[in-house]
């Protein structure tokens, strides 16, 4: 091939696991082959898709160039070349052969077994009709039927051609229900329990959105699923099982945070008000990116251990064996076992609900092809002994992974990327400047074009195999296959030697792209390899006892063939990582504590933390217009999103009523806010245009108080407060308000900037009146009351309105004891120099009215559409000094340095000269 620059290099040093050997390196079209000089050693074959990372190092002091290899089987090795040119040719050849542009370049399309495998029915080992009839569909129960609605893969391209749905539901109803599920992945039957006709169904998330869309067809479909064991068409006897409770579950595998983020994208989770006779549970299993990062930390810890061991052996004359240098603390910090624990916990919930509660379970995550496949397949292994045999396990993988659209090509990253190849050559004379520039541009271009499918990689199927290994280790006599079977399956998941795990959907395997025969006709199935006599003999478990799974077994340890996983007994699969059990797990393995939440059961929208957050705007914004005590924090849910949940919340009408019309939810600034006292005069508050009104969350239930409340929480001045964290600035929920209305976001910024900006201006006051010779900077510092309103000239403004006689503020949040009516004239004046202008507690006794209080009104009726700023003083036309006899003394008056100073027209309250 043109990609192979050099096919053979002799006298190469090969280092692995601290040992070094000399031999010859061969490069073929699909493998790296290393042949040892010692004829007794077996050749090393490394398929190119198995390579995860290659790093070419600079020449060392001895003049050798080392190329390090990391594989997906968690092995580290290196080749040392005498010539730097040989190392460069090998590096470039391996990169071009590993980074494939098309799946048809992979080894499976060229592999031909020699001799041929005895069996060649691997592609047809799973027959949907045969498997579901074995479960009892169409025989024991008539409540389910096969449908050909997806026979040409147009109904749902990622589903199989044959689906099983409730008998009561027609294909027309399925067509309507598909529009309500992400990627049209409707709920379909995955497993029918042999003991009580409980079922496991799977789907994708509903397209609820922030307006809480609903689908009657989807609700009827799930209702029919949850009633299949009572269906009149069924042969199942309608007899209650003693001790069993019908608790149909909808399992949302995601954390609630992810469900909220998906709601902002138009998807979300079910509103349990519309799905009767069922409950919902959030398992809190993280998404694919968290899993990928967690495994990367495990790989890094293994890599550092290999490098340390190699360094130790290079410094010593004799090779040290059995030295444990792996950092187990780094392994624990990776969180890998914690993720496995979460999957095992979810599996246990499903198994108990199916077998003990005689109920149904619907599982979904986001798209229903990652976490959903993990939970569904693991639960079936625990519930049905057939899936613990070699053939049964192969059918399970085909049924719940391959045929229902798990994205093997994307998750495994078979096409690789140049990002995983790095070269640190220290020769400045290699190549010309033009060549270097061209190489740099090509590297940048490849980096950008390859990023998308790299972000889609995740060890989803790897996690499933590790969980099966946990079950196998906890129940060693209940599986027909040994640990080697799982390890070999993991190897061929990435080797690309067979076509089973190459593509994303059944449609791609059965039909292809129209250019030539489909993949199932051009490649060999991995099951043909595993069903060969040699592999069957190597993988069969000698301690397997099928009699333990007999349902009629009445011994004290009889469990009717049901396995209950122990989530607290989770360990690293040390054989897969090439380490000893003590090196990876130690002698004692502590139970893994999970950071993720497991929330449920949820019976209604009022109990759903996701719908609570999305349906109430005030819970999504960490902004409050008044310092109230009406909101508290719910520790397990609010901490993850930094939102405040009201402690007393009425029954949520749902997202639809809260967001049906954004403009209707915005406050009318012509009316006083329920969370604060009205302004001195209701007519003083100008009407704000509806398109520029701030969100209703600023005055919603989270911050509203009773009109007769007599206490206010003291707070620091507005200009001294730190800016609170804006919930809209975080993560995937950022687009919630942006999708609804850009005006709402603009209004929030406008109000915040106005409050903070004008408050700072008060600390640097200037002349209140406009002058002809003032600079633009001075003009900007003038108070709002001295500015003209929009569309109003300066000639019509009264000059007396621009002069400040005294700088006093009233408490805008103080409420009177008389039905919430404000009596600002009876309140003692608050100096703007007071440390806490809102700290005045309302007097429990009613204040006497000041003589002539009705005349204390602002001279300027502002026509500005902006709300009255509590930090801006009201400018009266005339101030009448109340006599002591006309005002009752208050019990809690605010004292300030200027309390006893005579305040008249000659007093300068700002200290900047008389106006």
């Amino acid at each position: 091939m043109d990609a192979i620059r050099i096919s053979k290099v002799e006298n190469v040093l090969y280092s692995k696991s601290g040992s070094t050997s000399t031999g010859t390196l061969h490069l073929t079209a699909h493998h790296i082959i290393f042949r040892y000089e010692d004829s007794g050693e077996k050749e090393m074959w490394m398929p190119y898709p198995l390579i995860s990372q290659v790093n070419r190092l600079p020449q060392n002091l001895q003049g050798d160039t080392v190329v390090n290899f990391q594989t997906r089987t968690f092995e580290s090795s290196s080749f040392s070349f005498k010539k730097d040119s040989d190392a460069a040719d090998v590096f470039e050849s391996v990169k071009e052969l590993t980074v494939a542009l098309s799946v048809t370049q992979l080894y499976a399309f060229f592999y031909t077994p020699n001799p041929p495998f005895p069996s060649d029915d691997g592609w047809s080992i799973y027959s949907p009709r045969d498997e579901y009839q074995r479960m009892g569909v169409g025989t024991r129960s008539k409540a389910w039927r096969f449908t050909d609605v997806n026979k040409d893969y147009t109904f749902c391209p990622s589903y199989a051609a044959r689906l099983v749905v409730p008998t009561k539901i027609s294909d027309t109803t399925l067509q309507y229900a598909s529009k309500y599920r992400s990627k049209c992945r409707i709920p379909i039957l995955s497993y029918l329990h042999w003991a009580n006709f409980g079922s496991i169904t799977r789907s994708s998330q509903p397209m609820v959105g922030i307006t809480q869309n609903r689908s009657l067809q989807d609700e009827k479909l799930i209702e029919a699923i949850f009633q299949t064991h009572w269906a009149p068409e069924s042969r199942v006897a309608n007899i209650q099982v003693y001790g069993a409770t019908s608790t149909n579950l909808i399992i949302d595998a995601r954390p609630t945070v992810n469900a909220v983020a998906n709601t902002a994208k138009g998807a979300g989770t079910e509103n349990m008000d519309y799905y009767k006779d069922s409950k919902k549970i959030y398992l809190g299993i993280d998404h694919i990116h968290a899993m990928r990062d967690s495994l990367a930390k495990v790989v890094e810890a293994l890599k550092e251990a290999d490098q340390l061991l190699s360094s130790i052996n290079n410094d010593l004359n004799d090779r040290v064996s059995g030295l444990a240098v792996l950092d187990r603390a780094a392994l624990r910090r990776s969180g890998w076992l914690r993720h496995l624990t979460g999957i095992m916990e979810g599996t246990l919930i499903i198994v108990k609900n199916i077998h003990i509660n005689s109920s149904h379970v619907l599982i979904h995550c986001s798209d229903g092809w990652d976490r959903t496949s993990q939970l569904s397949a693991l639960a079936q292994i625990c519930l049905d002994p057939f899936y613990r045999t070699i053939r049964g396990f192969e059918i399970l993988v085909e049924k719940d992974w391959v045929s229902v659209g798990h994205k093997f090509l994307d998750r495994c990253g078979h096409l690789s990327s140049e990002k995983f190849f790095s070269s640190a050559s220290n020769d400045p004379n290699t190549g010309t400047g033009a060549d270097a520039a061209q190489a740099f541009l090509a590297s940048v271009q490849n980096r950008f074009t390859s990023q998308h499918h790299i972000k889609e990689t995740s060890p989803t199927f790897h996690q499933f195999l590790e969980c099966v290994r946990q079950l196998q280790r906890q129940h060693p006599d209940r599986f027909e296959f040994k640990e080697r079977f799982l390890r070999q399956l993991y190897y061929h998941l990435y080797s690309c030697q067979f076509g089973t795990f190459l593509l994303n959907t059944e449609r791609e395997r059965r039909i292809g792209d129209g250019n030539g025969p489909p993949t199932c006709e051009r490649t060999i199935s991995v099951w043909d390899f595993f069903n060969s006599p040699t592999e069957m003999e190597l993988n069969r478990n000698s301690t397997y006892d099928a009699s333990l799974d007999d349902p009629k077994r009445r011994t004290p340890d009889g469990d009717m063939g049901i396995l209950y996983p122990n989530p607290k007994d989770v360990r690293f699969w040390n054989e897969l990582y090439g380490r000893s059990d003590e090196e990876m797990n130690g002698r004692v393995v502590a139970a893994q504590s999970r950071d993720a939440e497991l929330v449920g059961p949820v019976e209604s929208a009022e109990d759903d933390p996701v719908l609570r957050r999305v349906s109430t705007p005030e819970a999504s914004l960490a902004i409050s217009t008044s310092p109230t005590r009406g909101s508290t924090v719910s520790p397990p849910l609010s901490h993850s999103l930094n939102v405040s949940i009201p402690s007393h919340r009425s029954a949520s009408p749902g997202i639809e009523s809260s967001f049906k019309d954004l403009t209707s939810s915005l406050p009318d600034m012509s009316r006083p806010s329920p969370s604060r006292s009205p302004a001195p005069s209701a007519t003083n508050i100008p009407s704000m245009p509806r398109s520029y009104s701030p969100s209703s969350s600023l005055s919603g239930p989270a911050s509203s108080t009773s009109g007769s409340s007599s206490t206010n929480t003291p707070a620091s001045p507005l200009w001294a407060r730190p800016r609170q964290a804006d919930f809209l600035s975080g993560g995937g929920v950022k687009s919630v308000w942006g999708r609804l209305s850009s005006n709402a976001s603009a209004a929030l910024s406008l109000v915040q900037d106005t409050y903070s900006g004008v408050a700072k201006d008060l600390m640097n006051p200037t002349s209140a009146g406009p002058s002809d010779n003032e600079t633009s900077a001075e003009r900007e510092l003038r108070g709002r009351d001295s500015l003209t309103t929009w569309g109003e000239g300066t000639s019509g403004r009264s000059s007396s309105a621009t002069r400040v006689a005294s700088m006093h503020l009233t408490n805008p949040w103080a409420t009177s004891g008389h039905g919430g009516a404000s009596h600002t004239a009876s309140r003692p004046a608050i100096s703007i120099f007071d440390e806490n202008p809102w700290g005045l507690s309302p007097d429990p006794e009613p204040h006497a009215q000041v003589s002539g209080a009705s005349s204390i009104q602002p001279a300027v009726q502002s026509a500005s559409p902006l709300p009255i700023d509590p930090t801006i003083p009201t400018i009266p036309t005339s101030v009448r000094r109340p006599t002591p006899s006309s005002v009752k003394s208050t019990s809690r008056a605010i004292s300030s340095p200027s309390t006893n100073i005579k305040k008249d027209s000659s007093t300068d309250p700002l200290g900047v000269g008389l106006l």
Side-chain angles (χ1 to χ4, degrees):
M1 294 180 61
D2 296 337
I4 301 179
R5 302 187 181 186
I6 186 171
S7 60
K8 179 180 179 181
V9 182
E10 297 180 344
N11 297 325
V12 177
L13 294 179
Y14 175 58
S15 300
K16 180 183 177 181
S17 301
S19 62
T20 303
S21 304
T22 305
T24 302
L25 182 69
H26 299 268
L27 298 183
T28 67
H30 302 287
H31 292 85
I32 296 176
I33 305 173
F34 183 77
R35 181 171 297 173
Y36 296 91
E37 285 186 352
D38 185 1
S39 58
E41 291 281 348
K42 186 179 179 180
E43 294 178 348
M44 187 279 299
W45 287 58
M46 182 188 300
Y48 293 125
L50 211 62
I51 298 173
S52 62
Q53 189 173 0
V54 180
N55 184 22
R56 177 189 169 201
L57 303 179
Q59 286 183 321
N60 54 27
L61 296 178
Q62 289 77 23
D64 298 336
T65 302
V66 178
V67 180
N68 292 328
F69 286 80
Q70 298 286 330
T71 66
R72 299 179 187 269
T73 54
F74 311 102
E75 295 176 331
S76 300
S77 59
S78 63
F79 296 96
S80 180
F81 301 90
K82 298 296 182 182
K83 297 181 180 179
D84 184 68
S85 59
D86 292 343
D89 291 339
V90 169
F91 176 83
E92 294 296 333
S93 300
V94 171
K95 181 171 67 173
E96 294 187 27
L97 293 169
T98 303
V99 181
L101 301 178
S102 171
V103 69
T104 57
Q105 299 178 5
L106 299 176
Y107 182 38
F109 289 89
F110 302 91
Y111 170 68
T112 302
N114 188 20
F117 295 127
S119 61
D120 58 354
D121 62 344
W123 284 110
S124 59
I125 190 174
Y126 165 60
S127 169
R129 184 169 296 276
D130 294 342
E131 178 58 19
Y132 283 103
Q133 284 180 351
R134 183 194 68 83
M135 297 181 194
V137 173
T139 56
R140 293 188 302 121
S141 173
K142 298 293 185 180
W144 301 91
R145 69 176 179 91
F146 288 93
T147 177
D148 293 328
V149 68
N150 197 40
K151 62 182 180 180
D152 54 357
Y153 302 102
T154 56
F155 175 80
C156 178
S158 59
Y159 262 168
R162 303 295 300 274
L163 306 176
V164 181
V165 296
T167 304
K168 292 182 177 180
I169 303 299
S170 65
D171 288 351
T172 303
T173 303
L174 297 179
Q175 293 282 358
Y176 282 99
S178 66
K179 297 178 175 61
Y180 188 66
R181 292 283 168 174
S182 175
K183 308 294 191 301
C184 296
R185 296 173 66 88
I186 61 172
I188 59 172
L189 180 66
S190 183
Y191 173 71
L192 182 64
H193 194 36
W194 55 266
N196 52 30
F197 296 93
S199 67
I200 296 178
T201 50
R202 56 182 298 167
S203 70
S204 61
Q205 61 183 337
M207 305 301 292
V208 178
I210 53 179
T211 56
Q212 198 184 11
N213 303 317
R214 59 180 295 194
S215 168
L216 294 177
Q217 291 80 12
D218 184 78
E219 295 165 16
K220 291 297 182 182
L221 173 57
I222 295 180
E223 181 182 3
I225 289 173
F226 289 164
Q227 294 179 355
T228 50
H229 61 300
W230 298 113
E233 298 85 359
S234 176
R235 297 177 185 174
V236 184
N238 295 338
I239 302 175
Q240 286 282 7
V241 179
Y242 178 77
T245 304
S246 178
T247 54
N248 301 316
L249 288 181
I250 297 179
I251 299 289
D252 194 331
R254 303 167 295 179
T256 55
V257 179
N258 294 11
V260 171
N262 280 277
T263 302
K265 300 176 183 178
T269 188
E270 291 85 357
N271 186 336
M272 298 310 296
D273 287 342
Y274 306 137
Y275 296 89
K276 303 302 181 183
D277 300 326
S278 60
K279 301 177 182 179
K280 182 171 58 177
I281 293 179
Y282 296 95
L283 295 183
I285 302 175
D286 282 323
H287 49 62
I288 60 173
H289 311 292
M291 303 302 183
R292 180 180 62 243
D293 296 341
S294 178
L295 183 61
K297 295 177 182 178
V298 175
V299 172
E300 186 64 24
L302 297 174
K303 179 181 177 181
E304 292 178 356
D306 287 338
Q307 293 176 347
L308 179 58
L309 183 61
S310 177
S311 175
I312 293 174
N313 285 307
N314 289 337
D315 294 340
L316 299 177
N317 295 328
D318 298 331
R319 179 175 178 270
V320 178
S321 60
L323 183 62
V325 295
L326 183 59
D327 186 3
R328 286 198 293 267
L331 293 179
R332 289 192 297 268
R333 288 193 299 269
S334 68
W336 182 252
L337 293 184
R338 188 171 64 250
H339 294 312
L340 298 182
T341 299
I343 299 173
M344 298 289 280
E345 287 178 349
T347 302
L348 181 61
I349 292 174
I350 298 171
V351 170
K352 288 184 175 181
N353 198 64
I354 294 290
H355 185 69
I356 299 178
N357 294 340
S358 303
S359 303
H360 305 274
V361 174
L362 169 63
I363 310 172
H364 73 76
C365 48
S366 293
D367 292 318
W369 51 46
D370 290 312
R371 290 163 283 194
T372 302
S373 293
Q374 291 175 335
L375 295 168
S376 175
L378 287 170
Q380 294 175 61
I381 291 175
C382 295
L383 290 168
D384 196 338
F386 173 70
Y387 294 128
R388 299 196 286 270
T389 64
I390 294 178
R391 183 175 181 83
F393 187 83
E394 294 170 354
I395 291 176
L396 177 67
V397 172
E398 284 283 338
K399 178 173 67 72
D400 272 81
W401 289 89
V402 178
S403 67
V404 292
H406 176 67
K407 304 171 70 174
F408 282 102
L409 178 62
D410 294 343
R411 297 294 180 259
C412 299
H414 291 320
L415 301 182
S416 191
S417 171
E418 291 192 3
K419 177 184 177 181
F420 303 129
F421 292 80
S422 61
S423 178
S425 177
N426 57 356
D427 188 359
N429 298 322
T430 55
T432 61
D435 294 337
Q438 184 177 2
F440 174 76
L441 292 177
S443 176
V444 172
Q445 182 180 4
N446 290 327
R447 183 181 299 271
F448 281 100
T449 57
S450 303
Q451 279 294 87
H452 175 70
H453 75 271
I454 292 176
K455 292 181 179 180
E456 289 293 310
T457 59
S458 185
T460 306
F461 192 74
H462 169 197
Q463 276 186 321
F464 165 70
L465 294 179
E466 284 224 32
C467 290
V468 175
R469 175 55 187 159
Q470 306 299 326
L471 292 172
Q472 190 184 56
R473 183 179 50 79
Q474 295 174 11
H475 308 276
D477 300 334
R478 310 299 284 272
F479 289 82
E480 186 185 11
F481 48 86
K482 296 192 299 186
E483 178 271 338
R484 181 186 182 276
F485 175 79
L486 299 176
R487 188 154 32 94
Q488 284 290 100
L489 188 59
Y490 173 85
Y491 175 87
H492 288 295
L493 172 68
Y494 292 104
S495 69
C496 297
Q497 184 175 347
F498 303 99
T500 305
F501 304 128
L502 288 188
L503 300 172
N504 291 333
T505 63
E506 180 183 282
R507 178 184 182 276
E508 296 174 356
R509 299 181 187 91
R510 301 290 180 179
I511 298 179
D513 55 2
N515 298 327
T519 301
C520 62
E521 298 179 7
R522 299 177 59 184
T523 62
I524 306 297
S525 172
V526 71
W527 310 126
D528 292 334
F529 167 74
F530 279 108
N531 292 331
S532 62
T534 304
E535 285 296 311
M536 289 288 289
E537 186 66 25
L538 293 173
N539 294 327
R540 184 172 283 112
N541 181 16
S542 59
T543 64
Y544 172 63
D545 187 359
S547 64
L548 298 176
D549 296 324
D550 186 2
K552 300 179 181 179
R553 188 164 169 261
R554 293 295 181 263
T555 58
D557 58 344
D559 52 16
M560 300 181 66
I562 308 298
L563 303 184
Y564 298 97
N566 182 6
K568 297 182 179 180
D569 183 15
V570 177
R571 303 167 70 90
F572 280 101
W573 185 5
N574 60 286
E575 295 91 347
L576 177 66
Y577 299 102
R579 303 296 196 278
S580 65
D581 181 62
E582 184 175 353
E583 183 179 2
M584 291 204 72
N585 298 296
R587 298 181 180 179
V588 178
V589 180
Q592 297 295 311
S593 59
R594 294 187 60 206
D595 294 337
E597 54 194 341
L598 197 155
V599 182
V602 176
E603 300 185 29
S604 64
E606 184 180 358
D607 302 331
D608 198 324
V610 174
L611 298 184
R612 276 212 312 261
R613 294 178 190 173
V614 183
S615 63
T616 52
E618 70 275 3
S620 300
L621 289 174
I623 305 173
S624 177
T625 55
S626 62
T628 66
R629 292 180 179 176
S631 61
T632 58
V633 178
S634 178
L637 300 177
S638 303
H639 286 179
S640 60
L641 285 177
N642 294 326
V643 294
S644 298
I645 307 296
S647 57
H648 301 288
R649 183 191 302 276
S650 60
S652 173
I655 309 172
E656 185 175 6
S657 60
S658 299
F659 288 94
K660 187 174 182 180
D661 185 3
L662 175 65
T663 59
S664 64
S665 67
L666 302 179
D668 189 354
M669 298 307 295
S670 62
R671 296 191 301 266
S673 171
S675 63
R676 66 184 74 177
S677 298
S681 175
T683 59
N684 292 343
I685 304 177
S687 298
M688 175 174 286
R690 180 68 82 171
S691 61
Y692 285 94
S693 299
S695 171
S696 62
S697 63
L698 302 182
S699 60
S703 59
S704 63
T705 57
S706 171
S708 60
S709 174
S710 61
T711 58
N712 282 325
T713 304
S716 59
L718 184 64
W719 52 82
R721 299 182 203 168
R723 184 173 181 177
Q724 300 186 27
D726 190 358
F727 172 62
L728 295 180
S729 64
V733 196
K734 182 177 181 180
S735 61
V736 177
W737 292 95
R739 286 176 178 268
L740 289 174
S741 173
S742 58
N743 290 342
S745 299
L748 289 175
S749 301
L750 180 63
V751 174
Q752 284 181 292
D753 294 341
T754 303
Y755 281 8
S756 59
V758 179
K760 292 179 180 178
D761 294 344
L762 286 175
M763 303 308 295
N764 298 282
T766 59
S767 176
S771 67
D772 297 335
N773 58 353
E774 69 179 350
T775 63
S776 60
E778 294 173 341
R779 190 178 299 110
E780 291 178 356
L781 293 178
R782 284 192 283 112
R784 183 183 305 159
D785 299 289
S786 64
L787 300 177
T788 59
T789 58
W790 293 342
E792 180 184 356
T794 58
S795 58
R797 292 186 62 85
S798 172
S799 59
S800 62
T802 62
R803 302 194 62 81
V804 181
S806 63
M807 298 294 290
H808 290 94
L809 290 174
T810 59
N811 187 354
W813 283 277
T815 57
S816 175
H818 300 282
S822 177
H823 301 282
T824 56
S826 62
R827 294 293 185 189
I830 306 174
S831 171
I832 64 168
F833 301 106
D834 190 89
E835 182 180 0
N836 184 7
W838 292 280
L840 180 61
S841 299
D843 197 320
E845 300 178 2
H847 295 284
Q849 294 291 338
V850 180
S851 176
S854 59
S855 63
I856 304 180
Q857 303 289 347
V860 180
Q861 301 292 335
S862 175
S864 172
L866 295 176
I868 294 298
D869 193 327
T871 63
I872 301 299
T874 304
I875 305 176
T877 54
S878 62
V879 179
R880 299 184 180 181
R881 296 177 58 200
T883 61
S885 60
S886 63
V887 183
K888 286 186 177 181
S889 60
T890 59
S891 59
R892 297 183 60 185
I894 294 181
S895 61
S896 65
S898 59
T899 302
N900 299 324
I901 299 177
K902 181 179 180 182
K903 298 181 180 180
D904 53 18
S905 58
S906 63
T907 302
D908 181 14
L910 297 181
V912 294
L914 295 177
L915 300 177

